[in-house]
Amino acid sequence: MLGLPALALLFEFSLGRIDMMDMIHPTGEWSARLMIFAMILSPLVSLLGAQKWLQWLVVRRRAIGVAAFIYAVLHLVFYLIDMGNLDDILAEWLAPGIWTGWAAFLLMLPLALTSNDRSMRLLRAGWKKLQRLVYPAAVLTLLHWIWVHNSYTAALAHFVPLGLVLLARFIKKPLIPLTPQGV
């Protein structure tokens, strides 16, 4: 199911309805959407309780996160093909919209590589700490989107719900308890 948007894009490309350049934005957008979706699940459980539908999604969160990375890989591949050569890639390397995308991708790489049961066993508590790299990756993805498209609208439409749910979770569960424990 998570691969259906990619299959639809590839099908449209194979028919000649869209070109390589037109595959860059949708793959990046799907990557961001799936990253946000994976990130929003724990705060929703915290806010709404252990609903069956949420638990079903939480069990599949790693698959959603890996799918986000696969879309990021597709996004990168289509970008590299569109750029055509290393000189052009390096020429825009330091542009804010470009380096933020590369940095987000590099942060997502260890997350994807360790999103398996074996890595969880080997890394133990370190696995969860490593997975927290998704937060700076999400911020970099947001900045990448804003700066590449020179617009806040679509990027914020996708990221504001995540921000609101994280904020609501923080407000509901403050870092410093307001009342003493056990009272």
Side-chain angles (χ1 to χ4, degrees):
M1 294 295 286
L2 295 171
L4 288 178
L7 291 174
L9 281 170
L10 292 171
F11 180 71
E12 292 292 314
F13 176 73
S14 72
L15 295 177
R17 293 181 185 158
I18 59 175
D19 60 22
M20 188 64 63
M21 184 180 170
D22 294 331
M23 303 203 26
I24 298 170
H25 176 73
T27 52
E29 193 168 310
W30 275 106
S31 177
R33 285 176 181 162
L34 290 169
M35 179 194 312
I36 292 164
F37 189 55
M39 291 176 71
I40 212 165
L41 294 174
S42 288
L44 281 178
V45 169
S46 173
L47 293 170
L48 302 176
Q51 306 293 319
K52 282 186 180 185
W53 63 275
L54 269 175
Q55 292 301 339
W56 187 86
L57 289 168
V58 167
V59 167
R60 289 149 182 84
R61 179 176 40 214
R62 271 194 287 166
I64 296 166
V66 170
F69 178 74
I70 291 169
Y71 278 97
V73 168
L74 288 172
H75 181 67
L76 177 59
V77 166
F78 295 138
Y79 165 77
L80 293 174
I81 291 169
D82 184 59
M83 292 302 289
N85 63 68
L86 186 58
D87 289 339
D88 289 343
I89 294 165
L90 293 176
E92 68 175 23
W93 175 259
L94 293 178
I98 302 303
W99 72 260
T100 51
W102 283 100
F105 182 82
L106 291 175
L107 287 175
M108 291 174 72
L109 182 60
L111 304 182
L113 293 175
T114 60
S115 285
N116 56 70
D117 292 337
R118 185 168 188 262
S119 294
M120 286 181 76
R121 282 191 307 275
L122 289 173
L123 296 172
R124 297 185 187 151
W127 184 84
K128 196 167 196 168
K129 290 178 184 175
L130 179 66
Q131 294 297 315
R132 289 188 184 124
L133 288 175
V134 74
Y135 294 100
V139 170
L140 287 164
T141 300
L142 172 63
L143 294 173
H144 171 68
W145 194 339
I146 289 169
W147 288 334
V148 163
H149 295 287
N150 199 23
S151 171
Y152 292 89
T153 310
L156 290 179
H158 283 79
F159 280 90
V160 163
L162 174 62
L164 291 174
V165 171
L166 288 170
L167 181 63
R169 181 183 188 188
F170 178 76
I171 291 170
K172 182 180 178 190
K173 197 180 202 180
L175 293 177
I176 302 168
L178 299 177
T179 59
Q181 296 291 353
V183 175

